[in-house]
Amino acid sequence: MKKLFLTALLPLLLLSACVSNPPQQQAKPLPKLKVGLALGGGAAKGFAHIGVIKMLEAHGIQADVVTGTSAGSVVGSLYAGGMDAFALQERAFGLDEAQIRDVRLFSGGIIKGEKLQNYVNKLLHDRTLEKLGKPFAAVATRLDNGERIAFNHGNVGQAVRASSSIPGVFEPVEIDGIKYVDGGVVSPVPVDSAREMGADFVIAVDISKKAADGNAKNLLGTVNQSIAIMGQKLGEQELARADIVIRPKVGKIGSADFDQKNVAILEGEKAVLAMLPEIKRKMEEKQKMLAGR
């Protein structure tokens, strides 16, 4: 009798278990973020961008869109054009400053900039901005009205040259009848341009020298200090719109210290490693926000 009772009770117990413990629904995977990498200006400090890219890639963080101002436009264009961090580092170590500097006095500037333009175009096999591997924009400043312009089509080298044309050091670059100078005048770290290109999550790399720390011992130092003063407040406002701001410790590297490229690259690596937990945490937060959780 007892055995018969247990046999009859067993189906009821199983049914009760199914009702009280429904099968767990599998969580939907988080949406993929469109990551934007905004690389700021800073002359020779720009080698730090290579270290940043190296460490981001090493931890599985790939940029989907890239924007660059001045030195950031040089590194950014080559990265968007398909060079990984190790290829960029190899190019950096092999770079002779004479390859990108063409001095011409009494022409509205000291450096003409054609060598830089040709150098970039040669490395990218004369591809246009539209045909790079990643969407890329080089940010420059219209000289006539101070408007920020993000070049994302046409001649890559010419756009990089315009973005890098430090007033008083480089000649302004004329494109379609309009003259352009360094993007750092209005957008030292081009966060807004990355947003405009559709980035959900913007990683900004700030290598600029703060005006309070300026050391104007020569012409380039004086010009950079002047640009730092002009752009500092604007830069702070734009950086506040980034999700992450990485600041490699390159303040002691001078604008023309090309022999410090190894130090700058290393500082870029260290800056990412120090912020990696925060980067990953904020990326996950943004993914959850986009998923509506």
Side-chain angles (χ1 to χ4, degrees), residues 9-10 14 38 57 69 101 133 140 144 151 163 167 181 235 241 269 289 291:
L9 187 61
L10 185 59
L14 291 173
E57 285 189 338
T69 289
R101 177 168 291 188
D144 58 349
F151 288 103
S163 180
V181 293
R241 295 190 283 273
E269 294 176 13
M289 186 188 77

Side-chain angles (χ1 to χ4, degrees), residues 136-270:
F136 168 72
V139 176
T141 305
R142 276 187 63 153
L143 187 57
D144 58 349
N145 62 11
E147 183 183 355
R148 170 178 61 89
I149 299 295
F151 288 103
N152 56 18
H153 65 276
N155 187 311
V156 184
Q158 188 178 53
V160 168
R161 177 185 173 189
S163 180
S164 305
S165 292
I166 302 169
V169 176
F170 280 76
E171 291 181 6
V173 177
E174 188 169 323
I175 302 173
D176 296 329
I178 298 172
K179 290 184 177 181
Y180 298 90
V181 293
D182 195 296
V185 174
V186 292
S187 182
V189 187
V191 173
D192 291 342
S193 295
R195 293 281 187 212
E196 290 162 5
M197 293 176 73
D200 303 310
F201 189 88
V202 177
I203 300 172
V205 187
D206 180 18
I207 55 170
S208 62
K209 180 181 287 187
K210 303 305 174 224
D213 302 326
N215 187 8
K217 290 184 177 179
N218 51 38
L219 174 61
L220 186 57
T222 300
V223 172
N224 276 323
Q225 173 73 348
S226 301
I227 292 174
I229 292 168
M230 288 187 292
Q232 188 162 303
K233 291 299 180 184
L234 278 174
E236 287 172 0
Q237 293 169 12
E238 190 167 1
L239 283 169
R241 295 190 283 273
D243 295 281
I244 285 286
V245 180
I246 298 171
R247 290 185 170 94
K249 295 179 180 179
V250 290
K252 293 183 179 180
I253 298 175
S255 301
D257 289 344
F258 282 77
D259 59 336
Q260 295 292 303
K261 60 188 73 170
N262 190 42
V263 174
I265 291 170
L266 183 60
E267 289 298 335
E269 294 176 13
K270 287 161 63 177

Side-chain angles (χ1 to χ4, degrees), residues 116-135:
L116 173 62
Q117 176 176 327
N118 294 337
Y119 176 79
V120 170
N121 282 335
K122 181 179 178 181
L123 291 181
L124 294 172
H125 307 290
D126 291 314
R127 282 177 289 165
T128 60
L129 282 156
E130 303 94 314
K131 294 186 177 179
L132 299 179
K134 299 176 187 288

Side-chain angles (χ1 to χ4, degrees), residues 4-62:
L4 183 63
F5 174 75
L6 289 173
T7 303
L9 187 61
L10 185 59
L12 294 173
L13 291 171
L14 291 173
L15 180 61
S16 174
C18 290
V19 172
S20 61
N21 296 295
Q24 294 290 322
Q25 285 190 346
Q26 192 172 10
K28 291 181 181 179
L30 293 173
K32 184 185 182 303
L33 289 178
K34 189 171 185 179
V35 177
L37 184 61
L39 304 176
K45 298 179 182 68
F47 291 107
H49 293 316
I50 297 173
V52 168
I53 292 168
K54 184 194 289 188
M55 282 300 106
L56 290 176
E57 285 189 338
H59 291 88
I61 301 171
Q62 294 277 347

